[in-house]
């Protein structure tokens, strides 16, 4: 299976510098243009998608809907593809986090392991739902099929951590731009990362 891992377009909360978690923030007009640019690229590259699976949060769901309409692919929302729930940090800017939670800020900057954040869903729960989604995809689609997942930075990162056999106790070592494309070739006993955080479909005016 060829798995296209796509981060949502720019959201309102992105422009405000807020840590979104599972807060529902809609796309901006720029975010919609980013999604259209990615859709045009996938058409040019002649991708035929069997399906698009998406987080049900609006910034991802609308991105997926734009892609689905252009590529004529069915779109399936799934709450397992939501972003990691970051508990008390939800909706805060980095400046607010630094002011209100200096200990957490220090851990975020310096601790190689997952920091403890009150109210978050927990690494094990997060990993379990991501793996559940991946297992479903692997059992539902054949080796020659291409499937897209539209989700969020940490969720996509955890997917790659699992697929590539990395240590889930370590901080996720990937960063994803808005509407970035990462391609994973998934085989029965291993996965290959073919591309990561590819933004070549966005010109300077669409980078945000």
């Amino acid at each position: 299976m060829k798995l296209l891992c796509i981060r949502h377009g720019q959201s309102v909360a992105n422009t405000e510098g807020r840590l979104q978690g599972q807060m529902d923030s809609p796309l901006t007009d720029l975010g919609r243009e980013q999604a259209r640019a990615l859709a045009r690229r996938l058409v040019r590259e002649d991708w035929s998608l069997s399906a698009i699976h998406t987080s049900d949060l609006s910034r991802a769901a609308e991105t997926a809907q734009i892609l689905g309409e252009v590529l004529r692919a069915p779109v399936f929302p799934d709450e397992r593809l939501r972003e990691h729930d970051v508990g008390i940090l939800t909706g805060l800017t980095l400046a607010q986090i630094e002011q209100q939670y200096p200990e957490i800020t220090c851990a975020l900057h310096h601790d190689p392991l997952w920091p403890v954040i009150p109210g978050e869903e927990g690494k094990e729960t997060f990993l379990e739902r991501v793996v559940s989604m991946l297992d479903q995809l692997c059992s539902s689609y054949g080796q020659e099929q291409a499937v897209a997942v539209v989700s969020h930075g940490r969720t996509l990162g955890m997917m790659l951590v699992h697929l590539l056999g990395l240590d889930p106790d370590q901080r996720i070592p990937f960063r994803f731009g808005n509407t970035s494309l990462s391609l994973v070739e998934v085989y029965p006993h291993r996965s290959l990362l073919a591309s990561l955080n590819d933004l070549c479909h966005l010109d300077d005016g669409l980078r945000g």
Side-chain angles (χ1 to χ4, degrees):
M1 176 179 65
K2 290 182 172 58
L3 185 62
L4 284 71
C5 298
I6 297 166
R7 188 185 174 209
H8 60 81
Q10 184 194 70
S11 69
V12 172
N14 285 153
T15 66
E16 298 170 346
R18 299 188 183 280
L19 195 61
Q20 296 174 97
Q22 295 190 4
M23 179 179 76
D24 203 6
S25 179
L27 291 181
T28 63
D29 288 340
L30 176 61
R32 296 181 184 96
E33 285 302 317
Q34 291 172 333
R36 294 184 189 105
L38 175 57
R40 291 192 294 269
R41 171 191 173 176
L42 295 177
V43 169
R44 288 195 305 271
E45 295 179 356
D46 200 27
W47 282 98
S48 177
L49 299 180
S50 296
I52 300 173
H53 293 264
T54 180
S55 161
D56 61 348
L57 297 176
S58 61
R59 58 190 183 272
E62 186 176 2
T63 301
Q65 193 62 42
I66 291 169
L67 296 174
E69 289 174 358
V70 174
L71 294 162
R72 298 180 180 178
V75 176
F76 301 103
D78 195 308
E79 64 181 13
R80 289 175 294 176
L81 290 171
R82 288 184 177 184
E83 181 58 293
H84 175 232
D85 185 345
V86 292
I88 61 172
L89 303 186
T90 301
L92 299 183
T93 65
L94 293 179
Q96 290 171 329
I97 295 171
E98 289 176 359
Q99 181 180 25
Q100 299 177 35
Y101 305 105
E103 299 86 358
I104 295 176
T105 299
C106 183
L108 288 171
H109 286 308
H110 302 294
D111 194 337
L113 302 179
W114 280 72
V116 176
I117 301 172
E120 70 158 328
E121 67 178 306
K123 177 190 54 105
E124 291 77 12
T125 301
F126 182 32
L127 177 61
E128 182 179 350
R129 67 175 167 91
V130 168
V131 171
S132 171
M133 187 69 212
L134 287 171
D135 286 346
Q136 178 182 322
L137 294 177
C138 290
S139 64
S140 298
Y141 299 101
Q143 191 61 61
E144 300 306 316
Q145 290 180 281
V147 179
V149 165
V150 181
S151 190
H152 312 268
R154 284 193 175 192
T155 306
L156 294 175
M158 186 59 90
M159 291 176 69
L160 294 189
V161 163
H162 178 72
L163 288 170
L164 301 176
L166 304 180
D167 184 356
D169 289 326
Q170 298 289 319
R171 298 277 293 281
I172 294 172
F174 306 107
R175 180 173 292 177
F176 303 92
N178 290 124
T179 67
S180 62
L181 173 63
S182 301
L183 176 61
V184 186
E185 297 173 3
V186 182
Y187 300 100
H189 302 294
R190 64 170 183 166
S191 297
L192 300 177
L193 182 61
S195 65
L196 177 67
N197 195 31
D198 187 344
L199 293 165
C200 71
H201 49 281
L202 300 183
D203 58 30
D204 290 342
L206 289 178
R207 295 268 172 148

